[in-house]
Amino acid sequence: MKNFFHKLGQRFWPYALSGVLMGLSWPSYPYVRLEVFTWIWMVPMLLALKSVKTFWRYLLNVVVALFIFSVFGEYWLITSTKLGALLLFFVCTVVYSVPLIALFFIRRALGWRLALWLLPVVWTAWDWLYHRSDGSFGWLAMGVTQSNLYWLVQYVDITGVWGITFWLVLFNVLIVRALDEFRIANFGLRIDCTTPHEESQYLRTSGIQRSTIRNRLIRRLAVSAAAMLLPPLAYSAFIFINAARTTATDREISVLLIQPNIDPWQKFDTKSGPAVLGKTLALTDSALANQKPDLIVWPESAVPYFFDENRPVQEVVKRAVARWDTPLLTGVMDRRIKNDSQTQTPRGDNTELFNAALMLTPGATKPAESLVRKSSGTGPQVTGNDPRARHWSDVKTSDLYRKRILMPFVERVPLVEQFPALSRLAINVGGSGGFTRGQEPTVFSFRDRQGENVTVGTAICYDQEYPAEMAESVRNGAEMLAVITNEGYWSKTQGAYEMAAFTRLRAIEMRRSIARAANTGISGLIDPLGRMYGEVPWWSEQSVSGKLKLSRQMTLYVRYTDFFPKACLWLLLGLAAAICLQRLRRLMSWRQPRSISDTRVTT
């Protein structure tokens, strides 16, 4: 038995090592920074896969590596749903297996070397295709592992997160090629030297010194690392220097973020609704005692009611906005009946539920005449200059923004519209489930204290995983972005920090400041360079205020969204078409009969 496990370990250790490296490289707690493991995570696996010739053994090795990665990297989901975590382990293994399976068949068609060089293209194209599918999990993009390395990844304003995926796979390929070519081409080592013993024996007979090999290998790896690191570092330096020169000309607004720290598992309980709203209102009142911001941002579902249907709740929130004399962006709930029939009840199958957001803005500066009270000698006089004189009915409510990207199986089961029976696969996480996707990238607007118009694009929680949808808001005129979220479901695992890290990438891609308000999780402000400040720690009832820069800049990514992965996809399709055409020509030439003139008569 001991010998069995020893052989098993010898066979699978490169794949296990790759899985552990990738799992540990995901954004984690603030004091853990292991992102660089992604730069080398594929190396042990690819070097071992080179000698595997049969498909089923190849597939088994890949699955072992990727399942270990999924367990190490996504374990934190167990705190919210054990069934969902197991589902994600399976999905993650399948999704990451696809490019490596493609590598196997490309190697058969074109050889190992060309297959390796095509791997970054294949992975980037597949990464993008998967994330445009109906049931994708947004955080499975390999590029998001580098979210906290804002000093290195400023180039995503050109390529988007898909450029990081390409860069990471290419980095791994360069190291593999360096090790591969170094052994074979530079030193004449035979390809059949597949074990350390065979290699050592060959080195002894060839007279090559190990120190020579080691020194040349180190130089080769150093050159490869420099070639990969210097261009993105140079571009980042250029961006930071340019940003420092233009800072003085940027418009700014002051923003107040509220993190009420409410238990997400009880938030949608009808009995706790008044307490939830009251806690958020009280925290905002306290924060506004010594400041007057341009905008207040509450988190996702901060108003846990169907806002348009509940007039008492509307009155409470609007009274508060009128008293504060400050615009409020908040998460709410919404529902809509699919048809206009008055016979349909909100509980019927035709009801659509939405996770939504809206903005409430104070009315005109002059108060309603009915609220201007004369002093009776027993209370303060309320005049037209006092914000308390505003009437709650003067508060304007914007159009709703309805969440456009829903978490698969948690907020919406994929293909449930076509196959209603799939609704049984829904995973219950608090009050989530059965939502309908929104369609429009609503951009809110309000006036700051100087009377200038400000536009805000909004993302609700899972929306932030998908840059193309946020880029649409920027193209529609958003000068800043707001991410409202609820990350208490992940308990005190790395999940909240991971989601906050992803928001940094969106700021860089769009070159927009982001106000990030979490029910609990990580609230804070992010500048267009991806730097986070004014951070509110998780599981704390706090508020934070600060200045946010506004911008009208359109990055290359915003103008030509996802052009980079699309180019990778078209390159692969063109290559596949060329290979098919070449093989078709060969097939036709074999079947073409020779002409009479080609026939020679011999005697």
Side-chain angles (χ1 to χ4, degrees):
M1 182 63 68
K2 183 178 180 181
N3 188 40
F4 169 78
F5 285 110
H6 179 70
K7 290 182 178 180
L8 194 66
Q10 280 188 325
R11 175 180 173 183
F12 288 109
W13 77 263
Y15 310 106
L17 178 59
S18 284
V20 171
L21 288 175
M22 185 58 177
L24 294 177
S25 66
W26 235 249
S28 187
Y29 301 98
Y31 44 83
V32 179
R33 286 289 181 267
L34 302 176
E35 292 90 341
V36 294
F37 284 168
T38 325
W39 304 0
I40 59 171
W41 80 276
M42 284 194 238
V43 174
M45 177 175 59
L46 290 178
L47 289 174
L49 287 175
K50 180 182 178 182
S51 60
V52 180
K53 304 301 182 183
T54 60
F55 174 73
W56 293 112
R57 183 177 178 183
Y58 179 99
L59 181 62
L60 175 62
N61 296 336
V62 166
V63 168
V64 167
L66 297 181
F67 185 78
I68 292 174
F69 144 60
S70 64
V71 172
F72 272 81
E74 313 296 335
Y75 75 93
W76 48 271
L77 285 163
I78 294 178
T79 59
S80 60
T81 164
K82 294 180 175 59
L83 177 60
L86 293 175
L87 172 65
L88 188 62
F89 294 164
F90 171 77
V91 171
C92 181
T93 302
V94 172
V95 169
Y96 272 66
S97 296
V98 171
L100 294 170
I101 293 173
L103 174 69
F104 178 85
F105 291 103
I106 295 174
R107 180 180 69 174
R108 279 189 172 182
L110 303 176
W112 173 252
R113 180 180 300 181
L114 187 54
L116 273 184
W117 288 123
L118 285 174
L119 185 59
V121 182
V122 172
W123 208 301
T124 304
W126 165 248
D127 209 352
W128 176 74
L129 279 175
Y130 167 71
H131 282 83
R132 301 315 301 168
S133 66
D134 190 43
S136 65
F137 290 93
W139 57 76
L140 293 184
M142 190 189 301
V144 301
T145 60
Q146 310 299 297
S147 298
N148 283 322
L149 304 186
Y150 62 89
W151 46 267
L152 179 66
V153 298
Q154 293 295 318
Y155 61 89
V156 297
D157 67 347
I158 300 174
T159 64
V161 65
W162 322 113
I164 304 180
T165 298
F166 185 93
W167 185 88
L168 289 171
V169 181
L170 182 58
F171 203 116
N172 279 269
V173 166
L174 284 175
I175 296 176
V176 171
R177 290 301 303 152
L179 295 172
D180 235 355
E181 293 180 1
F182 188 80
R183 291 182 62 240
I184 298 172
N186 292 358
F187 294 94
L189 298 184
R190 299 198 315 271
I191 297 178
D192 57 351
C193 291
T194 56
T195 66
H197 175 72
E198 292 176 345
E199 182 175 320
S200 299
Q201 185 177 5
Y202 180 80
L203 290 173
R204 286 195 300 270
T205 59
S206 64
I208 300 175
Q209 298 296 322
R210 284 188 177 274
S211 60
T212 302
I213 292 180
R214 184 173 59 252
N215 293 337
R216 292 183 182 179
L217 177 59
I218 290 173
R219 286 197 294 269
R220 176 69 180 273
L221 292 175
V223 170
S224 298
M228 292 299 297
L229 289 171
L230 290 179
L233 285 174
Y235 184 77
S236 294
F238 167 77
I239 293 296
F240 279 102
I241 293 172
N242 190 58
R245 291 175 178 174
T246 59
T247 298
T249 61
D250 292 338
R251 286 177 56 202
E252 289 184 336
I253 64 167
S254 59
V255 179
L256 173 66
L257 306 178
I258 302 298
Q259 180 172 292
N261 192 33
I262 296 168
D263 185 352
W265 299 97
Q266 300 178 3
K267 191 172 187 178
F268 296 99
D269 187 343
T270 55
K271 296 181 180 179
S272 61
V276 168
L277 183 57
K279 184 178 182 181
T280 307
L281 287 167
L283 185 58
T284 308
D285 279 329
S286 176
L288 290 174
N290 300 315
Q291 58 182 305
K292 203 69 172 177
D294 295 299
L295 175 67
I296 303 169
V297 182
W298 284 0
E300 177 185 9
S301 60
V303 182
Y305 296 94
F306 297 113
F307 191 81
D308 284 347
E309 302 176 13
N310 198 318
R311 187 173 177 83
V313 170
Q314 288 185 39
E315 181 175 350
V316 168
V317 177
K318 287 185 176 182
R319 282 186 185 277
V321 172
R323 183 175 68 252
W324 299 330
D325 190 27
T326 304
L328 169 67
L329 193 160
T330 180
V332 297
M333 305 304 296
D334 181 49
R335 63 183 171 187
R336 182 177 64 189
I337 297 177
K338 293 181 182 179
N339 55 45
D340 295 328
S341 173
Q342 298 300 319
T343 61
Q344 294 290 341
T345 65
R347 299 179 183 273
D349 294 336
N350 287 337
T351 301
E352 296 177 315
L353 301 179
F354 297 95
N355 190 347
L358 58 79
M359 178 169 284
L360 298 102
T361 53
T365 56
K366 293 183 179 181
E369 293 295 331
S370 60
L371 290 183
V372 180
R373 299 183 287 111
K374 294 182 179 180
S375 175
S376 61
T378 59
Q381 182 180 4
V382 181
T383 67
N385 294 325
D386 194 327
R388 290 174 298 175
R390 302 181 189 279
H391 193 268
W392 68 269
S393 62
D394 294 329
V395 174
K396 299 178 181 178
T397 304
S398 70
D399 291 335
L400 286 170
Y401 166 73
R402 297 180 174 92
K403 188 176 181 181
R404 302 174 67 194
I405 308 294
L406 303 176
M407 185 179 293
F409 301 100
V410 175
E411 294 179 306
R412 174 182 173 273
V413 177
L415 303 177
V416 70
E417 293 85 0
Q418 292 78 14
F419 305 99
L422 293 177
S423 61
R424 299 176 182 176
L425 300 178
I427 300 172
N428 183 23
V429 178
S432 61
F435 285 102
T436 302
R437 289 183 296 190
Q439 301 298 324
E440 299 297 328
T442 306
V443 175
F444 303 124
S445 65
F446 66 96
R447 293 197 176 276
D448 60 15
R449 295 293 171 188
Q450 288 71 41
E452 297 188 47
N453 192 62
V454 179
T455 51
V456 185
T458 306
I460 301 177
C461 193
Y462 201 61
D463 283 334
Q464 67 183 308
E465 308 287 343
Y466 294 82
E469 279 66 28
M470 295 184 73
E472 194 172 353
S473 294
V474 175
R475 286 195 299 272
N476 287 347
E479 298 172 287
M480 61 166 285
L481 297 170
V483 172
I484 58 175
T485 183
N486 185 10
E487 291 153 2
Y489 298 110
W490 321 131
S491 187
K492 291 190 175 182
T493 64
Q494 70 185 58
Y497 289 105
E498 190 169 303
M499 297 300 168
F502 299 163
T503 313
R504 291 174 179 259
L505 281 184
R506 303 294 89 86
I508 302 172
E509 288 165 333
M510 316 301 160
R511 292 299 175 203
R512 291 293 185 273
S513 297
I514 297 181
R516 192 177 200 277
N519 169 57
T520 192
I522 310 298
S523 299
L525 305 172
I526 305 174
D527 72 5
L529 300 175
R531 297 174 295 192
M532 195 167 188
Y533 56 100
E535 184 176 323
V536 178
W538 61 359
W539 300 101
S540 62
E541 178 184 332
Q542 291 188 34
S543 62
V544 63
S545 61
K547 297 285 187 178
L548 274 185
K549 298 184 185 299
L550 304 179
S551 175
R552 295 182 180 273
Q553 176 186 356
M554 292 288 180
T555 65
L556 191 63
Y557 177 78
V558 171
R559 291 180 183 273
Y560 308 102
T561 304
D562 293 344
F563 77 91
F564 185 75
K566 292 176 184 177
C568 291
L569 179 60
W570 281 110
L571 177 61
L572 290 177
L573 292 176
L575 180 62
I579 293 174
C580 291
L581 183 61
Q582 183 183 27
R583 294 196 172 185
L584 182 61
R585 287 178 176 177
R586 288 180 180 177
L587 183 62
M588 295 298 293
S589 64
W590 292 341
R591 293 185 176 183
Q592 184 177 359
R594 292 184 299 175
S595 62
I596 298 178
S597 59
D598 293 332
T599 305
R600 296 183 179 179
V601 179
T602 59
T603 59

